[in-house]
């Protein structure tokens, strides 16, 4: 029985791999991942190199809080049709294209102004975050609407995550080599041009099946703004609050590692060393984590994989705590990279698969794909984005008492402890029957 089930799953995987959707998601993941760190962790390198304080860095990089607020405009993107672009590209791809152009323009403005024109620089970063969050909304809706079976549910998040991780490698490692040679402004300009990859994939992608079957209807303000949120709580009845609380804590330890870039600078690690190790050890560990996450989804199901992600996710914070007191030891850095990338590869894949499952398992979710997914993501991201603004301030606050590196260490240990209540909430989700597999 088990052998037959495994054989059927493998057949479904092979069939899914023959479809263009998975491969297109590789490019979409890259396009979505490219701006992510450029207004977050990588930005802290540039700001620290320009002599900005840790406290100010923490608050500036919190511009990515906009990712967590995207649920506010998701209902409009779900139903409102863009003039001209809709007739050409359809609902999802029209918003993808518009937001991709916006990301490229915003990165160019950040390069032009730089940290020495701080107000204009922050405004440009805010615009990048808004455009990037909007791009994610449209891509998530397209991806979910392309998910038709268990194989898609495992493969689509994995391919998307691979593309995302390639972008993270580019903006987390390769940009350090580039910036050392041509400077930060030109590096950001080059990455603005790299958004052409996303534009190309958008133009090559088909409309989703659900989208082509939808008919234009006149929407009242209630139907457009209120109904999508009401329908989420109706769909999940008494478990909606529990689901949102669990998601709020699930990726929080990872969000709070945004200060790691500044820690690298303070420990004296050379940017070439960081880039080289991230591009080799880090990349392999990340891809292995995503592959492990996808395999677990296929073999163990969403519930067990979600549990595993909650258990492994905080490991990276413990590694960062060790690294902060190892004073730039390359071996400790290598171990940290492996732990961080592998654990978060599994956790992120499980996180996306769980939210996708919640949308697909209800008729209300399929009616309001974009808003339901954005609501769950926003609750998770908003918690992290708000709190990450205080990371630098927290380390600065502890430094006079513990010293800089012990302060870093204590901070990362404290953030790892968030995984304990999250595990309890996962157990409650199982008790309530939220998981379908």
């Amino acid at each position: 029985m088990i052998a037959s089930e495994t054989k059927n799953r493998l057949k479904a995987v092979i069939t899914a791999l023959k479809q263009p959707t998975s491969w297109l998601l590789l490019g979409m993941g890259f396009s979505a991942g490219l701006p992510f760190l450029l207004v977050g962790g990588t930005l802290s390198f540039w700001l620290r190199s320009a002599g900005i304080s840790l406290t100010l860095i923490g608050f500036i990089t919190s511009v990515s809080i906009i990712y967590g607020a995207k649920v506010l405009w998701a209902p409009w993107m779900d139903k409102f049709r863009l003039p001209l672009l809709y007739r050409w590209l359809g609902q999802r791809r029209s918003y993808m294209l518009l937001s991709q152009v916006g990301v490229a323009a915003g990165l160019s403005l950040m390069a032009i102004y730089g940290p020495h024109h701080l107000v204009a620089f922050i405004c440009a970063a805010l615009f990048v975050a808004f455009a990037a969050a909007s791009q994610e909304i449209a891509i998530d809706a397209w991806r979910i609407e392309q998910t038709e079976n268990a194989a898609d549910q495992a493969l689509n998040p994995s391919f998307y995550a691979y593309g995302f991780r390639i972008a993270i490698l580019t903006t987390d490692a390769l940009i350090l080599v580039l910036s050392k040679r041509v400077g930060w402004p030109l590096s950001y300009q080059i990455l603005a041009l790299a958004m052409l990859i996303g534009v190309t994939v958008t133009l090559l992608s088909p409309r989703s099946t659900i989208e082509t079957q939808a008919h234009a209807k006149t929407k009242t303000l209630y139907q457009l703004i209120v109904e999508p949120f009401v329908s989420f709580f109706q769909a999940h009845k008494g478990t909606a609050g529990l689901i949102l609380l669990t998601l709020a804590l699930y990726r929080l330890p990872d969000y709070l590692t945004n200060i790691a870039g500044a820690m690298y600078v303070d420990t004296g690690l050379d940017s070439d060393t960081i880039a080289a190790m991230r591009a080799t050890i880090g990349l392999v560990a990340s891809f292995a984590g995503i592959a492990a996450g996808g395999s677990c989804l296929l073999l163990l199901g969403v519930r067990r994989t979600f549990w595993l992600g909650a258990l492994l996710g905080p490991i990276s914070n413990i590694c960062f705590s060790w690294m902060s007191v190892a004073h730039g030891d390359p071996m400790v850095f290598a171990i940290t990279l492996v732990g961080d990338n592998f654990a978060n590869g599994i956790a992120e894949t499980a996180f996306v698969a769980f939210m996708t499952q919640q949308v697909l398992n209800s008729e209300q979710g399929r009616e309001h794909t974009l808003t339901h997914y954005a609501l769950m993501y926003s609750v998770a991201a908003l918690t992290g984005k708000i709190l990450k603004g205080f990371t630098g301030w927290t380390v600065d606050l502890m430094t006079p008492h513990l010293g800089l590196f012990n302060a870093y260490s204590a901070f990362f240990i404290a953030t790892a402890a968030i995984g304990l209540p999250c595990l309890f909430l996962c157990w409650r989700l199982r008790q309530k029957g939220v998981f379908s597999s």
Side-chain angles (χ1 to χ4, degrees):
M1 182 71 177
I2 296 175
S4 177
E5 185 178 346
T6 302
K7 186 177 180 180
N8 289 335
R9 285 181 175 177
L10 288 175
K11 284 183 178 179
V13 169
I14 293 170
T15 301
L17 286 172
K18 292 178 181 178
Q19 302 298 321
T21 301
S22 296
W23 303 99
L24 288 169
L25 278 167
L26 198 62
M28 289 184 185
F30 179 85
S31 184
L34 195 71
F36 187 75
L37 288 179
L38 297 181
V39 290
T42 297
L43 183 58
S44 69
F45 274 97
W46 189 357
L47 294 170
R48 192 61 166 170
S49 300
I52 306 297
S53 71
L54 284 178
T55 298
L56 193 52
I57 288 172
F59 287 112
I60 292 173
T61 56
S62 68
V63 298
S64 57
I65 195 174
I66 290 179
Y67 277 91
K70 65 185 180 182
V71 68
L72 298 178
W73 64 93
W76 291 95
M77 291 180 63
D78 209 0
K79 303 299 180 185
F80 182 77
R81 295 180 174 180
L82 292 172
L84 301 178
L85 284 178
Y86 175 81
R87 296 183 63 182
W88 177 31
L89 297 170
Q91 187 74 4
R92 308 310 185 198
R93 294 186 303 150
S94 61
Y95 279 103
M96 283 186 215
L97 181 63
L98 183 63
S99 57
Q100 286 158 355
V101 172
V103 169
L107 291 175
S108 296
L109 288 173
M110 289 179 70
I112 291 170
Y113 289 116
H116 298 297
H117 301 86
L118 199 56
V119 174
F121 183 75
I122 293 173
C123 289
L126 282 167
F127 182 75
V128 171
F130 173 76
S134 300
Q135 179 190 206
E136 280 197 359
I137 291 172
I139 290 175
D140 285 335
W142 187 90
R143 175 181 55 78
I144 291 169
E145 290 172 355
Q146 297 288 342
T147 303
E148 298 177 354
N149 51 51
D152 289 339
Q153 195 169 342
L155 283 175
N156 287 358
S158 298
F159 271 82
Y160 178 82
Y162 274 125
F164 200 96
R165 284 293 166 179
I166 292 170
I168 292 298
L169 167 67
T170 304
T171 57
D172 198 29
L174 300 183
I175 193 174
L176 298 181
V177 177
L178 196 61
S179 65
K180 190 172 182 179
R181 287 153 179 80
V182 302
W184 283 104
L186 185 55
S187 299
Y188 267 60
Q189 289 281 21
I190 291 170
L191 292 179
L193 287 174
M195 286 302 296
L196 286 172
I197 294 172
V199 170
T200 302
V201 172
T202 296
L203 297 177
L204 291 174
S205 302
R207 297 190 188 197
S208 66
T209 304
I210 294 175
E211 184 181 345
T212 55
Q213 294 173 349
H215 300 288
K217 296 178 182 177
T218 302
K219 296 285 184 180
T220 65
L221 196 61
Y222 176 85
Q223 290 173 321
L224 189 63
I225 302 298
V226 180
E227 189 177 273
F229 297 103
V230 172
S231 69
F232 177 84
F233 288 91
Q234 289 175 339
H236 298 286
K237 298 182 174 66
T239 61
L242 181 61
I243 289 170
L244 295 177
L245 180 59
T246 304
L247 292 173
L249 296 182
Y250 194 82
R251 301 296 290 134
L252 185 56
D254 183 50
Y255 282 124
L256 297 180
T257 61
N258 68 302
I259 205 69
M263 182 189 72
Y264 294 162
V265 175
D266 289 337
T267 56
L269 274 171
D270 181 70
S271 59
D272 282 347
T273 301
I274 296 171
M277 295 184 75
R278 280 177 169 175
T280 52
I281 298 171
L283 181 63
V284 171
S286 181
F287 279 9
I290 295 168
S295 299
C296 288
L297 287 170
L298 280 170
L299 300 175
L300 303 178
V302 175
R303 176 173 60 84
R304 293 183 181 89
T305 307
F306 194 70
W307 271 80
L308 185 62
L311 183 64
L312 294 179
I315 284 179
S316 60
N317 300 62
I318 297 172
C319 292
F320 282 122
S321 175
W322 180 26
M323 182 182 167
S324 65
V325 293
H327 305 295
D329 187 323
M331 182 59 69
V332 176
F333 180 45
I335 295 171
T336 299
L337 282 178
V338 172
D340 180 36
N341 286 287
F342 185 80
N344 283 308
I346 293 176
E348 185 66 23
T349 305
F351 177 69
V352 171
F354 173 77
M355 293 189 294
T356 301
Q357 183 189 69
Q358 299 312 302
V359 173
L360 294 174
N361 281 356
S362 69
E363 288 299 320
Q364 294 95 328
R366 286 187 176 273
E367 172 66 21
H368 304 287
T369 302
L370 196 153
T371 306
H372 281 204
Y373 191 90
L375 174 61
M376 289 186 285
Y377 180 92
S378 291
V379 168
L382 198 58
T383 307
K385 302 297 184 182
I386 291 173
L387 294 178
K388 71 185 282 188
F390 295 92
T391 55
W393 174 78
T394 303
V395 173
D396 277 340
L397 192 66
M398 293 190 291
T399 297
H401 307 285
L402 301 176
L404 179 60
F405 298 110
N406 286 333
Y408 274 128
S409 181
F411 171 79
F412 285 120
I413 286 291
T415 57
I418 296 169
L420 296 175
C422 187
L423 285 170
F424 170 76
L425 291 172
C426 289
W427 173 71
R428 289 291 294 158
L429 287 177
R430 181 186 178 183
Q431 277 195 322
K432 294 287 185 178
V434 170
F435 299 98
S436 64
S437 60

